Amino acid sequence: MTKITRRAFLKKSFYFSLYTLLTSGIGYYYARHIEPSLLVVTRHSIRSPLIPKSFHGMKIVQFSDLHLGYYYSLPRLAKVVDRINQEKADIVFFTGDLIDDQRSCPFTSRIAPILQRIHAPFGKYCIYGNHDHGGYGTELYKVIMNESGFILLQNSEQRIRLVDGSEIAILGIDDMMLGNPKLEQTLRLARQELYTIVLVHEPDAAPVIAQYPVNLQLSGHSHGGQVQLPIIGPVITPPLAKKYIEGFYTVSNLTVYVNRGLGMTRVPFRFFAQPEITVFTLQHGE
């Protein structure tokens, strides 16, 4: 006879409670129709002596995990773009998972004209997520993002340099699950004296990234659990998003931020994991 631990019993009980909640009228309506539309803009300051003085006050916007298709429409994407532009960002990052299933999405040709409207004078950058490679969609994602004016970083580096010669580095890692990530090879480009941001879709790459002179890791993938419950916490966490779920973490000298994303996958619910756009303001100083 298999002995059930107290934690396992609680987890099973909460899964049952979740099922009951989401299949009841009010819970279902909230998780299916209300929370997925409750877009939150979170704001944070990022301070480091390595951030050049000329970058002080520069604004970065991160958005992630749109999963366009089944549960996320083009009109909703257009509203997100308008909201991003309201922030007057200097730099914009998209950290992967554009389309939920590229094989069945009927409007792929209409995505780029919307994303083109995002304005960022110092550049728009993106990386692959697992859904961007899934369904043989690798090339389609590349085409859409290029047409949208985004620079796709696939195991590569981009420097953002101002007229005074000061710069910061952006490293982009290919998707850890379905791509061809060259983690160590790319991270060796990081320089101790240069403020460096790494974009990687899956947050649980952090312990490896922390071994290199990287200052900030920006990730998505987790959806903040997409569904969260008291005591148990996030109950829908994909592989490589088990340890770092949402918000800030410190791993050695590395600061990690995990964006909750905007869309949904697997189930059409969000519960205590509101869709998020993140705004970071860079500050020079200790």
Side-chain angles (χ1 to χ4, degrees), residues 124-160:
K124 304 186 293 188
Y125 304 89
C126 66
I127 55 172
Y128 280 104
N130 54 303
H131 282 257
D132 304 317
H133 281 303
Y136 305 101
T138 301
E139 190 60 30
L140 176 61
Y141 176 76
K142 182 177 181 179
V143 168
I144 291 174
M145 299 313 285
N146 284 342
E147 290 179 353
S148 301
F150 279 76
I151 297 172
L152 176 59
L153 298 177
Q154 188 177 14
N155 302 317
S156 58
E157 177 192 43
Q158 186 79 22
R159 300 271 180 102
I160 299 176

Side-chain angles (χ1 to χ4, degrees), residues 136-277:
Y136 305 101
T138 301
E139 190 60 30
L140 176 61
Y141 176 76
K142 182 177 181 179
V143 168
I144 291 174
M145 299 313 285
N146 284 342
E147 290 179 353
S148 301
F150 279 76
I151 297 172
L152 176 59
L153 298 177
Q154 188 177 14
N155 302 317
S156 58
E157 177 192 43
Q158 186 79 22
R159 300 271 180 102
I160 299 176
R161 181 175 296 169
L162 303 187
V163 292
D164 65 354
S166 62
E167 60 184 4
I168 62 174
I170 314 298
L171 302 179
I173 308 296
D174 199 1
D175 180 70
M176 300 290 293
M177 293 175 63
L178 299 181
N180 180 28
K182 298 178 181 177
L183 201 57
E184 288 82 1
Q185 176 180 316
T186 307
L187 292 170
R188 281 198 292 268
L189 298 171
R191 295 290 174 265
Q192 194 78 45
E193 71 281 1
L194 186 64
Y195 190 82
T196 301
I197 300 172
V198 165
L199 308 180
V200 58
H201 185 64
E202 288 86 359
D204 287 0
V208 176
I209 293 173
Q211 298 173 31
Y212 294 82
V214 173
N215 305 98
L216 176 64
Q217 172 187 321
L218 299 180
S219 298
H221 187 55
S222 70
H223 299 196
Q226 196 167 301
V227 173
Q228 295 202 30
L229 293 175
I231 301 177
I232 294 298
V235 297
I236 303 176
T237 51
L240 296 179
K242 301 292 186 183
K243 188 172 184 180
Y244 308 105
I245 309 296
E246 65 170 320
F248 280 107
Y249 300 87
T250 300
V251 185
S252 298
N253 293 320
L254 173 69
T255 298
V256 179
Y257 191 85
V258 185
N259 182 286
R260 290 192 300 270
L262 294 161
M264 296 165 288
T265 191
R266 291 194 275 178
V267 295
F269 305 120
R270 274 189 180 264
F271 194 72
F272 295 150
Q274 292 183 11
E276 174 187 21
I277 292 171

Side-chain angles (χ1 to χ4, degrees), residues 46-56 168 195 281-285:
I46 302 294
R47 181 180 294 272
S48 170
L50 288 178
I51 295 174
K53 291 181 180 179
S54 51
F55 278 80
H56 185 88
I168 62 174
Y195 190 82
T281 300
L282 299 182
Q283 296 184 342
H284 170 79

Side-chain angles (χ1 to χ4, degrees), residues 22 28-38 64-73 76 96-101 131 221-227 236 238 260-276:
L22 295 182
Y28 176 87
Y29 188 83
Y30 174 81
R32 178 69 178 87
H33 299 289
I34 296 179
E35 184 162 309
S37 301
L38 297 179
S64 194
D65 296 270
L66 283 162
H67 290 276
L68 292 165
Y70 299 122
Y71 311 129
Y72 212 88
S73 66
R76 186 172 286 182
D97 280 1
L98 179 67
I99 300 170
D100 196 61
D101 186 345
H131 282 257
H221 187 55
S222 70
H223 299 196
Q226 196 167 301
V227 173
I236 303 176
R260 290 192 300 270
L262 294 161
M264 296 165 288
T265 191
R266 291 194 275 178
V267 295
F269 305 120
R270 274 189 180 264
F271 194 72
F272 295 150
Q274 292 183 11
E276 174 187 21

